[in-house]
Each structure stands twice: as C-alpha cells, then as structure tokens.
Amino acid sequence: DTAESRPIIASEVIEKGEDYWIDEKDLADSLARENAIKNRKAMEGEITEEKLKREIAAPYKQNWIGLAFVAVLVLTVVSSQFPELLNSPLIPIPDL
C-alpha cells in the first residue's frame, strides 16, 4: 500500500526547465526593479553607448594635425621627385 513508483527517466519538461510557474505580480515587480536599477546607474554617471561612440570617433573626424602632416609629406615627396619645380625662373630685367 505504501509503494511509490518513480520514472527512470525524468520528464522532458523538467529537463528543459519548463516545470515552473511565474507569478505575474512578482514578474512585474522584478522587471520594475531591474528597470529602476538600470535608470539609476545611467543617472549616476554611466556613459551611454551613443556618447561613447561619439567620443571614440571624434579624434578621427577632426584630425587637422594628421591632414597637415599628410600635406607636408606630399609636398616633400613631390619636391624630392621633381626638384626643378623649386627652381624659380630667372627673369631678366631690361637695363634702361
């Protein structure tokens, strides 16, 4: 009369973890708490992802020193390959 039978293999539902019940009120409270924590972290000085992307890209968008360096480099290469461009033409001034 007191014999108990148990299956050798556990139910697939139990193995998948689908044998639980969620209280709707507890779920709503938990989500509200997580949202409040996330908002508080953002207000405490956490950098947003958009601001971080802008700050990372800013040095490359306004790279005037790099552009000046490339311009000087190009002028140096051109003047070394074509030195005759630096020779100014001699303009004879007529003697009056």
Side-chain angles (χ1 to χ4, degrees), residues 36-82:
I37 290 171
K38 187 175 88 174
N39 289 340
R40 185 179 68 222
K41 283 183 180 178
M43 292 171 67
E44 288 177 353
E46 184 178 302
I47 299 174
T48 62
E49 188 173 332
E50 179 183 333
K51 184 177 180 183
L52 187 61
K53 284 181 182 179
R54 278 187 292 152
E55 288 182 4
I56 290 173
Y60 301 104
K61 289 183 178 178
Q62 298 176 354
N63 195 2
W64 299 110
I65 295 173
L67 293 175
F69 174 76
V70 169
V72 168
L73 184 67
V74 167
L75 290 175
T76 304
V77 169
V78 168
S79 66
S80 67
Q81 295 296 320
F82 306 104

Side-chain angles (χ1 to χ4, degrees), residues 20-36:
Y20 58 89
W21 179 77
I22 297 175
D23 184 21
E24 294 293 327
K25 183 178 179 288
D26 289 340
L27 177 64
D29 291 345
S30 174
L31 292 176
R33 188 179 320 110
E34 288 177 8
N35 195 15

